[in-house]
């Protein structure tokens, strides 16, 4: 056909075709991609490593993955940098899609001539708009200090415990308390896992870090937390290790923990982790100013006696087996755990009178399967599903009443926990199934969408042979059921070169319950069927004014649905209440933080909570309680913290909290009268301070060995146990002012292989009190021996 074209047109056509082919070839060749993963020497993913190539820089995600697109073909240099690791550099000839698997070498000493960039996982979390407090446990695992005492040193956090090891706890975070705080273990709400993995029982050997959210809670946690959340992360940062420890201390306390992880396969793509844990304490510490029998007529005087029926023993074991780096899964894991808890009960909610024959036993089984898959900087998905079963049995058939010195008198009826004719022997089986889906989609480098759905079904059934005489029928004959569904979606946006971060969220809460009615005459009535469907929403924003100064603010309309313990009771001293409705709260947080080259860190924040239908544990009789809805409370609070590190081996900190929770509306049951409106809620600390510091000596006794000295203390101002508007201030029951000192010494060899920890709690032997003025232990001593091999 070209024969009909002039000569010049021949040339023009050939040139045009050649140019078009060159353009097409250049266009197709420009579609070069470099992706891969960054891990440490053990194959553990490294988050927030900087990967630079041709003036383009990206950060690795939580899976250590990265992706660079639309790169020009040809020679280039890829550089990977992150704090604490040697810089990686490699020459590449780009053609098409190039994949890198980089393992970085950890630096034992950072050299001044090496320039590195990137954030640690802890620092990255603290820089989000939610700004959680993050506790890195791996540096604390050699101390005998319990996990609860470590949490109690965090600004704005108050841990209240009704006794010694294994006793009930009440967490307070940013004006919220008790069940308003939801705790998670690896994205699973702890209340689904039973007592074996409760916060007062979990071993630090399992934990890598703990995140504490105040007021506003991110969607990815996926649960109905009213005023805060605690997110516990299991160890994943080490590829292969063995960790064994034993602690012995006062009151015949023994705690043993052993955990391990091993990986195998050509790419170490299979792993097995596990652990065995044991806790025991007699909890036989002294109780002061209690009734002691002085004669055969059972006359008493005030004196000192040891707790005599408060032994606590727990056993637990956990195994996880999984694969990593599969084509269809970044990680897939199967988990199973068993636990057994045996507890003697010294008293009920208050320590008004001791018990001498009430015991409980728990047998628990947990199982779960999880799957994760992601594409760097594009999307991430995870699914987890599980089944849990718990058997708990109480024995309360003693026909005696006890005094604090162990003297007993015979009663005409049986049972110490309430007024029952034949006592109680509830044997309750609780089972639950749950499923959680989390999806994350990166719209672009400025916007990210996240969606979470958590579905839970729980069922409670059992028998109470002895209690039938009092209740006229079996309270647990017909299964009592609870279904809860949470759905949430959030949009995270970054502006002004990432100086402004905003996260908007919408949530929905649904619950359906069938609960038995316990009448005033202790007989069992009809079942209450209740359905609740409530929306929630929130927004948090953080703005970095200067590199070292940031301000933040957040609002959330939060909802918390009643849980199974509040609805069904505990089978012993907490009665069921199927009339409970969800509590809701308007939560506002504001504050600022300053960080100066990691030597000075200071925060100041304020919060306001306006809560309706607040669920409150209220005593009904001396030994029986039930959960009720208060119509309304308001809480205003401020908290401040300063930590300073003037030189490398020395760290000091102090933080304080003031809060004022008041009743805004009385309850519908008449338990709380309208005359208390505007009055401070009783039995809640309103001013408390934590302070401490530590100093590390190098090369002590052995080369590269370290000796660490630490002090931490707490102050709580006195507060009333009853409404402050009632009676004379001089005669009202109160929890007295207390100042508690603690000291810790730890010694460790290179690599933390051998460790010895010594701790003295309540150094000055002060009288210590907590929930409902229950006395806590005086001065006590603990030693911990630990062996760690990596």
């Amino acid at each position: 056909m070209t024969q009909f074209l002039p000569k010049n047109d021949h040339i023009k056509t050939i040139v045009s075709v050649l140019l078009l082919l060159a353009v097409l070839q250049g266009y197709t060749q420009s579609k070069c991609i470099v992706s891969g993963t960054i891990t440490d020497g053990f194959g553990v993913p490294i988050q927030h490593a900087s990967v630079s190539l041709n003036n383009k820089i990206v950060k690795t995600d939580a899976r250590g993955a990265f992706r660079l697109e639309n790169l020009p073909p040809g020679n280039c240099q890829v550089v990977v940098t992150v704090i604490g690791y040697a810089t990686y550099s490699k020459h590449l000839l780009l053609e098409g899609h190039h994949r890198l698997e980089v393992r970085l070498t950890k630096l034992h000493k950072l050299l001044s001539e090496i320039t590195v960039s990137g954030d640690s996982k802890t620092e990255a979390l603290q820089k989000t708009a939610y700004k959680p407090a993050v506790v890195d446990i791996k540096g604390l695992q050699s101390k005998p200090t319990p996990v609860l005492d470590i949490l109690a040193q965090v600004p704005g956090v108050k841990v209240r415990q009704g006794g010694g090891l294994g006793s009930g706890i009440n967490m307070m975070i940013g004006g919220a308390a008790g069940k308003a705080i939801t705790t998670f273990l690896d994205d699973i709400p702890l209340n689904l896992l039973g007592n074996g993995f409760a916060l007062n029982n979990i071993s630090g050997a399992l934990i890598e870090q703990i995140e504490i959210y105040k007021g506003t809670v991110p969607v990815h946690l996926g649960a109905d937390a009213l005023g805060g959340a605690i997110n516990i992360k299991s160890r994943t940062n080490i590829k292969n290790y063995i960790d064994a420890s034993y602690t012995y201390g006062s009151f015949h306390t023994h705690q043993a923990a052993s955990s391990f992880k091993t990986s195998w396969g050509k790419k170490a793509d299979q792993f097995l982790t596990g652990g065995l844990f044991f806790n025991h304490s007699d909890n036989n510490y002294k109780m002061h100013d209690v009734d002691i029998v002085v004669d055969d007529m059972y006359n008493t005087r005030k004196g000192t006696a040891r707790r005599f029926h408060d032994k606590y023993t727990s056993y637990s074991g956990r195994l996880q087996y999984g694969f990593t780096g599969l084509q269809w899964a970044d990680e897939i894991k199967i988990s199973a755990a068993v636990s057994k808890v045996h507890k003697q009960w010294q008293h009920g909610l208050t320590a008004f009178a001791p018990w001498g024959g009430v015991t409980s036993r728990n047998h628990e089984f947990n199982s779960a399967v999880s799957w994760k898959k992601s594409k760097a900087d594009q999307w991430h998905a995870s699914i987890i599903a599980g089944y849990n079963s718990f058997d708990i049995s109480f024995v309360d058939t003693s026909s005696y009443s006890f005094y604090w010195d162990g003297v007993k008198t015979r009663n005409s009826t049986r049972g110490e926990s309430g007024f029952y004719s034949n006592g109680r022997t509830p044997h309750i089986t609780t089972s639950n199934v749950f499923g959680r889906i989390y999806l994350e989609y990166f719209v672009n480098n400025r916007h990210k969408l996240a969606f979470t759905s958590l579905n839970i079904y729980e069922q409670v059934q059992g028998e109470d042979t002895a209690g039938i005489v009092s209740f006229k029928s079996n309270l647990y004959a017909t299964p009592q059921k609870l279904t809860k569904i949470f759905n949430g979606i959030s949009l995270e946006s970054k502006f002004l070169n990432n100086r402004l971060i905003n996260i908007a969220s919408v949530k929905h809460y649904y619950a359906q319950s069938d609960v038995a009615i316990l009448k005033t005459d202790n007989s069992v009535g009809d079942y209450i069927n209740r359905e609740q469907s409530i929306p929630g929403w929130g927004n948090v924003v953080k703005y970095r004014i200067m590199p070292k100064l940031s301000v933040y603010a957040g609002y959330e309309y939060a909802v918390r649905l009643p849980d199974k313990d509040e609805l069904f009771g505990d089978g012993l001293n907490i009665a069921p209440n199927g009339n409970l409705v969800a509590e809701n709260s308007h939560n506002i947080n504001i504050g600022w933080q300053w960080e100066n080259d990691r030597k000075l860190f200071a925060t100041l924040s304020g919060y306001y909570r306006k809560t309706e239908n607040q669920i409150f544990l209220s005593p009904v009789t001396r030994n029986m309680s039930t959960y009720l809805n208060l119509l309304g409370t308001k809480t205003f609070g401020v908290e401040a913290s300063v930590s300073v590190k003037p030189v490398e081996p020395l760290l000091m900190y102090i933080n304080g909290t003031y809060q004022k929770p008041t009743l805004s509306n009385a309850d519908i049951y008449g338990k709380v009268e309208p005359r208390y409106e505007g009055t401070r809620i009783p039995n809640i600390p309103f001013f408390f301070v934590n302070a401490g510091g530590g100093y590390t000596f190098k090369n002590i006794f052995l080369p590269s060995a370290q000796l660490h000295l630490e002090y931490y203390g707490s102050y709580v101002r006195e507060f009333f146990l009853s409404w402050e508007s009632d009676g004379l201030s001089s005669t009202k029951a109160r929890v007295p002012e207390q100042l508690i000192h603690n000291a810790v010494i730890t010694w460790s060899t290179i690599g933390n292989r051998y460790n010895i920890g010594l701790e003295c709690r309540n150094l000055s032997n002060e009288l210590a009190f907590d929930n409902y003025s229950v006395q806590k232990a005086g001065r006590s001593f603990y030693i911990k021996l630990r062996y760690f091999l990596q």
Side-chain angles (χ1 to χ4, degrees):
M1 188 170 134
T2 54
Q3 62 180 337
F4 299 103
L5 294 173
K7 271 190 177 181
N8 289 339
D9 290 338
H10 277 295
I11 297 173
K12 289 179 181 179
T13 301
I14 294 170
V15 171
S16 298
V17 171
L18 291 175
L19 286 173
L20 179 60
L21 291 174
V23 170
L24 289 174
Q25 183 181 20
Y27 177 76
T28 55
Q29 287 182 345
S30 69
K31 290 285 188 178
C32 293
I33 299 172
V34 175
S35 65
T37 56
I38 310 298
T39 61
D40 64 10
F42 298 95
V44 177
I46 299 176
Q47 186 180 16
H48 292 285
S50 293
V51 183
S52 62
L53 192 153
N54 288 357
N55 296 321
K56 284 191 174 185
I57 300 176
V58 295
K59 294 289 185 72
T60 55
D61 60 19
R63 282 71 62 190
F66 71 93
R67 185 181 179 90
L68 290 159
E69 297 179 327
N70 297 323
L71 298 170
N75 295 313
C76 67
Q77 195 79 8
V78 63
V79 179
V80 180
T81 56
V82 68
I83 290 176
Y85 294 86
T87 300
Y88 172 89
S89 180
K90 183 178 182 179
H91 175 80
L92 295 179
L93 177 61
L94 290 187
E95 291 180 350
H97 189 172
H98 195 101
R99 182 162 181 83
L100 287 174
E101 301 292 338
V102 178
R103 289 201 172 192
L104 298 182
T105 303
K106 191 171 182 61
L107 295 173
H108 294 289
K109 186 175 181 181
L110 287 178
L111 304 178
S112 57
E113 64 266 25
I114 296 180
T115 302
V116 294
S117 62
D119 298 322
S120 70
K121 190 174 182 179
T122 297
E123 292 169 334
L125 276 169
Q126 291 172 329
K127 290 180 179 180
T128 66
Y130 282 103
K131 203 189 74 60
V134 182
V135 180
D136 196 342
I137 294 293
K138 64 177 178 288
L140 307 172
Q141 289 169 340
S142 299
K143 302 195 305 182
T145 309
V147 172
L148 285 175
D149 287 3
I150 294 171
L151 285 174
Q153 300 170 53
V154 175
V157 176
K158 180 64 180 171
V159 179
R160 308 179 67 190
Q161 192 164 10
L165 181 68
S167 61
I169 62 170
N170 184 1
M171 297 290 300
M172 296 179 58
I173 300 178
K179 293 177 179 291
I181 310 300
T182 303
T183 305
F184 302 82
L185 174 62
D186 294 333
D187 302 324
I188 303 173
L190 272 187
N191 60 1
L192 297 178
L193 302 179
N195 291 326
F197 290 95
L199 192 56
N200 60 346
N201 202 33
I202 195 167
S203 171
L206 271 176
I207 304 172
E208 178 179 329
Q209 71 176 23
I210 303 176
E211 307 156 11
I212 302 166
Y213 296 86
K214 305 174 185 179
T216 52
V217 179
V219 161
H220 80 264
L221 289 180
D224 51 334
L226 188 72
I230 299 172
N231 191 24
I232 301 172
K233 291 293 188 180
S234 294
R235 275 182 168 179
T236 57
N237 59 330
I238 306 174
K239 201 73 173 178
N240 296 283
Y241 73 88
I242 297 173
D243 193 346
S245 65
Y246 172 73
T247 302
Y248 175 75
S250 300
F251 320 120
H252 202 236
T253 299
H254 302 265
Q255 294 179 283
S258 62
S259 60
F260 71 91
K261 182 175 183 179
T262 181
S263 304
W264 66 92
K266 291 183 179 180
K267 297 183 179 180
D269 54 357
Q270 293 187 62
F271 65 88
L272 178 69
T273 66
L276 294 172
F277 311 98
F278 169 76
N279 298 285
H280 172 83
S281 180
D282 287 352
N283 288 320
N284 58 339
Y285 58 86
K286 292 181 179 179
M287 300 282 285
H288 301 277
D289 197 31
V290 294
D291 291 332
I292 297 175
V293 175
V294 295
D295 56 34
D296 293 339
M297 301 299 293
Y298 299 105
N299 292 309
T300 63
R301 64 172 175 83
K302 296 296 182 182
T304 299
R306 288 190 176 275
R307 296 168 75 95
F308 61 90
H309 186 71
D310 200 19
K311 291 182 180 179
Y312 176 84
T313 306
S314 71
Y315 311 84
S316 59
R318 189 189 196 200
L319 278 177
Q320 296 181 323
Y321 171 71
F323 294 83
T324 60
L326 302 176
Q327 185 175 2
W328 52 276
D330 294 337
E331 179 189 86
I332 185 165
K333 180 172 61 179
I334 300 173
S335 307
V338 293
S339 57
K340 180 180 180 180
V341 179
H342 178 212
K343 177 177 173 59
Q344 296 178 337
W345 293 73
Q346 184 69 93
H347 51 74
L349 190 63
T350 68
F352 182 82
W355 298 342
V358 182
T359 61
S360 66
R361 293 181 181 270
N362 294 53
H363 297 270
E364 302 169 348
F365 170 75
N366 311 107
S367 63
V369 58
S370 63
W371 170 89
K372 297 178 182 178
K373 180 65 178 175
S374 62
K375 190 173 183 180
D377 293 329
Q378 293 187 37
W379 55 268
H380 168 69
S382 66
I383 299 174
I384 184 168
Y387 168 79
N388 305 290
S389 178
F390 325 119
D391 264 4
I392 181 168
S393 58
F394 286 100
V395 176
D396 178 24
T397 57
S398 172
S399 56
Y400 292 92
S401 293
F402 291 82
Y403 295 88
W404 278 108
D405 53 0
V407 175
K408 60 184 180 180
T409 61
R410 183 173 289 277
N411 293 330
S412 59
T413 59
R414 304 174 68 186
E416 300 174 79
S417 62
F419 302 104
Y420 310 114
S421 57
N422 199 44
R424 300 286 307 277
T425 55
H427 182 179
I428 304 169
T429 299
T430 301
S431 59
N432 66 64
V433 292
F434 69 92
R436 177 184 182 272
I437 299 174
Y438 176 66
L439 303 173
E440 195 175 83
Y441 175 68
F442 295 86
V443 180
N444 50 44
N445 59 0
R446 289 172 50 190
H447 302 286
K448 179 178 71 174
L449 282 168
F451 169 76
T452 301
S453 180
L454 176 66
N455 296 258
I456 302 169
Y457 173 79
E458 297 180 273
Q459 179 174 295
V460 174
Q461 191 172 13
E463 60 181 2
D464 185 358
T465 304
I468 289 177
V469 177
S470 298
F471 297 122
K472 312 298 188 298
S473 62
N474 181 9
L475 179 63
Y476 305 101
T478 302
Q480 301 182 69
K481 303 172 185 178
L482 174 63
T483 300
K484 297 173 71 173
I485 300 174
F486 169 89
N487 289 301
I489 188 168
S490 68
L491 173 63
E492 178 178 338
S493 302
K494 299 180 180 180
F495 306 99
L496 304 177
N497 196 25
N498 294 342
R499 292 174 62 188
L500 177 65
I501 303 174
N502 188 85
I503 304 176
S505 61
V506 178
K507 304 175 181 180
H508 184 266
Y509 312 85
Y510 172 83
Q512 191 275 327
S513 59
D514 293 294
V515 184
I517 298 175
L518 186 60
K519 296 181 180 180
T520 55
D521 64 352
N522 278 345
S523 63
V524 180
D526 294 331
Y527 282 69
I528 297 175
N529 181 282
R530 182 178 291 274
E531 188 173 12
Q532 302 180 66
S533 179
I534 308 169
W537 55 87
N539 192 85
V540 294
V541 61
K542 180 178 180 181
Y543 179 65
R544 191 175 74 249
I545 300 174
M546 297 184 293
K548 300 171 184 177
L549 176 64
S550 299
V551 295
Y552 56 90
Y555 165 80
E556 183 173 10
Y557 178 71
V559 175
R560 190 183 74 84
L561 301 163
D563 67 15
K564 66 176 180 63
D565 294 330
E566 294 165 327
L567 292 168
F568 307 141
D570 68 350
L572 187 65
N573 60 352
I574 299 179
N577 184 0
N579 289 307
L580 287 175
V581 298
E583 52 185 357
N584 58 81
S585 182
H586 297 274
N587 298 336
I588 299 175
N589 288 62
I590 58 172
W592 63 263
Q593 70 178 31
W594 172 272
E595 184 177 7
N596 182 15
D597 298 328
R598 302 184 183 180
K599 291 185 177 181
L600 174 66
F601 186 80
T603 65
L604 176 64
S605 59
Y607 54 84
Y608 174 76
R609 312 273 181 265
K610 183 180 179 182
T611 305
E612 298 292 331
N613 298 319
Q614 182 170 344
I615 299 175
F616 186 83
L617 183 60
S618 176
V620 178
T621 66
R622 189 178 72 180
N623 296 310
M624 180 63 73
S625 305
T626 191
Y627 285 96
L628 302 173
N629 285 110
L630 293 179
L631 281 190
T633 62
K634 294 180 180 179
T635 302
F636 164 79
V638 293
E639 62 183 57
S641 69
V642 177
S643 62
V644 60
K645 198 171 187 178
V647 292
E648 180 60 32
L650 176 63
L651 171 66
M652 299 179 293
Y653 69 88
I654 184 170
N655 59 71
T657 301
Y658 172 84
Q659 59 184 11
K660 187 176 181 180
T662 58
L663 181 71
S664 57
N665 291 294
D667 73 293
I668 59 176
Y669 303 101
K671 295 289 183 181
V672 181
E673 301 176 19
R675 63 192 179 93
Y676 296 125
E677 293 178 7
T679 304
R680 192 192 305 268
I681 304 293
N683 194 42
I684 296 179
F686 66 90
F687 180 65
F688 47 93
V689 178
N690 300 304
Y695 191 90
T696 303
F697 297 90
K698 306 284 188 179
N699 303 316
I700 302 297
F701 305 127
L702 290 174
S704 301
Q706 296 185 7
L707 181 68
H708 182 72
L709 306 179
E710 182 180 342
Y711 161 84
Y712 67 97
S714 63
Y715 167 80
V716 181
R717 189 173 176 179
E718 71 170 12
F719 55 94
F720 292 122
L721 281 175
S722 57
W723 296 97
E724 60 183 351
S725 58
D726 281 349
L728 297 175
S729 176
S730 59
T731 60
K732 280 190 296 190
R734 67 187 72 201
V735 177
E737 179 181 75
Q738 44 201 308
L739 177 61
I740 307 298
H741 308 276
N742 310 276
V744 184
I745 302 174
T746 55
W747 179 80
S748 59
T749 61
I750 184 170
N752 284 327
R753 178 169 293 187
Y754 302 100
N755 305 266
I756 300 175
L758 300 170
E759 180 170 9
C760 178
R761 301 172 197 163
N762 198 350
L763 192 64
S764 55
N765 201 28
E766 302 291 334
L767 281 176
F769 301 85
D770 220 319
N771 281 336
Y772 293 95
S773 200
V774 174
Q775 291 186 35
K776 299 182 69 176
R779 184 189 296 118
S780 56
F781 299 91
Y782 301 86
I783 181 171
K784 182 175 184 178
L785 306 177
R786 178 179 180 237
Y787 174 77
F788 177 72
L789 177 63
Q790 179 176 328

